[in-house]
């Protein structure tokens, strides 16, 4: 039985190996978009090494990515202003979005969704156990699980983002922007009613806890 089982496991691994290698033409085209149309500069290698407080994109839901790209391109999603530049954080990206076609948006989203999620960022100083516990508790208490999943690694709808393992400062900024209703467009209104009950310290704790969840394969 064990021999049979391991033969099966090896067979299955070989199978998934080949499908992963045979990237579809759309994914190849998407990779080209990512590498040549500026995305790499801000979102980093393989969509998993974003600079500053920018979002990692690897392993995000494809439908969510398509939707956000459209919202950023059309100017519906703007968000808060970066005090260092005096412009919205998203401006540098919004400025280049005119070079993306509809097909580019579809292909780059397909490519990014299939990539391995980023490793959790190393926080300095390392977060305390109490902070992590408080984050998990607030996430549960405020009812985030019904849409973003029990451990935040799987959303209940593909139009909702997977939020585990994103950059801490990015997470905190998005939660605050949604509480202030300055992040607009898409399905964001679903967030308004929930996040308004979060205090600043809940946001800090949830962002810290979420940023430390490891979505990389074992
Ligand atoms: C100049 C830097 C910059 C460039 C270039 C850039 N982005 Fe972004 N991108 C950002 C920032 C910053 C945000 C988050 C904005 C905010 O905080 O509100 C973002 C957000 C996103 C989001 C939404 C992520 C989420 O979790 O909601 C997607 C998807 C995205 N970018 C894809 C791309 C793609 C694809 C390209 C290339 C066509 C690209 N970006 C080019 C800086 C950039
Ligand atoms: C009713 C469903 C729902 C609930 C409950 C919910 N969210 Fe969301 N959340 C969404 C949707 C939908 C979006 C994407 C909005 C958009 O279309 O721009 C989102 C976006 C986010 C984002 C931004 C992610 C990114 O990549 O930019 C964060 C962070 C987030 N939610 C955290 C939370 C937290 C924390 C809670 C609990 C306090 C929560 N959400 C509860 C539906 C929900």
């Amino acid at each position: 039985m064990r021999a049979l089982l391991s033969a099966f496991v090896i067979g299955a691994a070989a199978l998934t190996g080949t499908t992963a290698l045979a990237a579809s033409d759309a994914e190849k085209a998407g990779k080209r978009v990512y590498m040549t149309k500026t995305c790499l500069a801000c979102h980093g290698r393989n969509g998993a090494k974003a600079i500053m407080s920018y979002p990692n994109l690897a392993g995000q839901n494809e439908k969510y990515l398509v939707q956000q790209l459209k919202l950023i391109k059309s100017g519906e999603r703007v968000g808060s202003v970066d005090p260092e530049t005096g412009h919205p954080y998203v401006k540098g990206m919004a400025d280049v979005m005119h070079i993306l076609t509809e097909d580019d948006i579809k292909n780059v989203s397909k490519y990014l969704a299939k990539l391995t999620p980023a490793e959790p960022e190393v926080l300095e100083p390392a977060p305390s156990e109490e902070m992590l516990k408080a984050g998990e508790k607030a996430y549960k208490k405020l009812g985030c699980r019904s849409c973003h999943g029990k451990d935040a690694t799987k959303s209940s709808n593909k139009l909702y983002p997977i939020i585990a393992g994103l950059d801490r400062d990015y997470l905190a900024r998005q939660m605050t922007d949604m509480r202030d209703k300055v992040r607009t467009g898409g399905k964001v209104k679903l967030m308004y009613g929930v996040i308004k009950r979060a205090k600043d310290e809940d946001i800090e704790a949830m962002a810290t806890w979420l940023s430390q969840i490891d979505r990389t394969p074992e």
Side-chain angles (χ1 to χ4, degrees), residues 33-34 37-43 51 53-57 60 64-66 68-69 72 77-80 89-94 96-97 99-100 108-109 112 161-162 166 170 173-174 177 183:
V33 172
Y34 190 79
K37 298 202 172 179
T38 74
C39 323
L40 175 69
C42 292
H43 295 285
I51 61 164
S53 61
Y54 295 178
N56 284 317
L57 307 169
Q60 185 53 273
Y64 173 76
L65 292 169
V66 169
Q68 296 304 310
L69 284 166
I72 292 171
R77 173 175 166 183
V78 182
S80 56
Y89 286 93
V90 83
K91 187 176 186 297
M93 171 166 171
V96 299
M97 283 305 285
I99 63 175
L100 260 68
V108 79
S109 300
L112 289 165
I162 296 171
L166 293 176
Y170 174 75
R173 180 166 75 247
Q174 295 311 308
D177 282 4
R183 174 163 164 184

Side-chain angles (χ1 to χ4, degrees), residues 119-168:
E119 298 201 356
E121 68 183 308
V122 178
L123 297 177
E124 299 275 352
S128 68
E129 212 37 56
E130 294 85 76
M131 175 70 88
L132 296 171
K133 281 220 180 84
E136 185 172 12
K137 203 168 144 206
Y139 181 82
K140 232 188 238 180
K141 195 183 82 193
L142 294 169
C144 318
R145 292 194 293 183
S146 60
C147 295
H148 295 291
K150 203 167 144 258
D151 54 6
T153 58
K154 200 164 179 268
S155 58
S156 62
N157 181 312
K158 299 281 183 213
L159 271 176
Y160 306 170
I162 296 171
I163 58 176
L166 293 176
D167 175 88
R168 175 177 61 179

Side-chain angles (χ1 to χ4, degrees), residues 4-20:
L4 203 72
L5 200 67
S6 56
F8 174 74
V9 170
I10 292 165
L15 249 169
T16 39
T18 29
T19 31

